[in-house]
Amino acid sequence: MILAWSGDQSQIYRTLALLVAEGLAEVEVIAQDGRPDRRVHRITPTGLTALREWPASPLPPETPHDAFLVRVFFVGEPVDLAHALRRATLRNGIRHAEAELAWLGETVEALS
């Protein structure tokens, strides 16, 4: 899973807390001698339903953060160069999106 999604320990516990708050998971606190209490999380029936529906649900829009592209936009060069770089970046993004859409279409066709 690390190849597709990365998260630190605090992100995992924030997400677990949200799942519990939304009724998708439940938590049991188990007291331990000489150690912090142990928190055992379990998926609820509602959470299991949501998990089964999740793969077919629409993806949220992505908002990529790329430090290199931010630097390109603020290089302090003449407006013409900045404009050309913006256009090239947008063309690149469009090409990537078109390639992904083509791949998704091929995948849906192959799975049908």
Side-chain angles (χ1 to χ4, degrees):
M1 190 66 187
I2 194 75
L3 296 175
W5 198 278
S6 64
D8 58 28
Q9 188 173 1
S10 62
Q11 181 182 10
I12 291 168
Y13 283 104
R14 281 192 311 270
T15 302
L16 284 170
L18 285 172
L19 292 172
V20 169
E22 293 175 6
L24 302 173
E26 59 190 15
V27 62
E28 176 185 3
V29 179
I30 301 171
Q32 300 186 112
D33 291 332
R35 300 173 67 182
D37 292 345
R38 181 175 175 198
R39 300 173 62 83
V40 177
H41 292 81
R42 291 182 186 84
I43 193 166
T44 63
T46 303
L48 189 57
T49 299
L51 179 62
R52 288 183 176 140
E53 293 171 353
W54 176 69
S57 67
L59 292 172
E62 288 189 33
T63 52
H65 301 258
D66 190 321
F68 173 74
L69 292 178
V70 171
R71 290 176 185 182
V72 166
F73 283 105
F74 295 104
V75 293
E77 296 294 328
V79 174
D80 290 341
L81 175 59
H83 181 72
L85 287 171
R86 283 189 198 98
R87 287 182 55 83
T89 302
L90 289 172
R91 277 194 310 273
N92 181 52
I94 290 169
R95 287 187 182 131
H96 280 276
E98 289 171 341
E100 185 170 3
L101 285 171
W103 175 81
L104 288 169
E106 292 168 8
T107 302
V108 167
E109 189 175 309
L111 295 174
S112 298

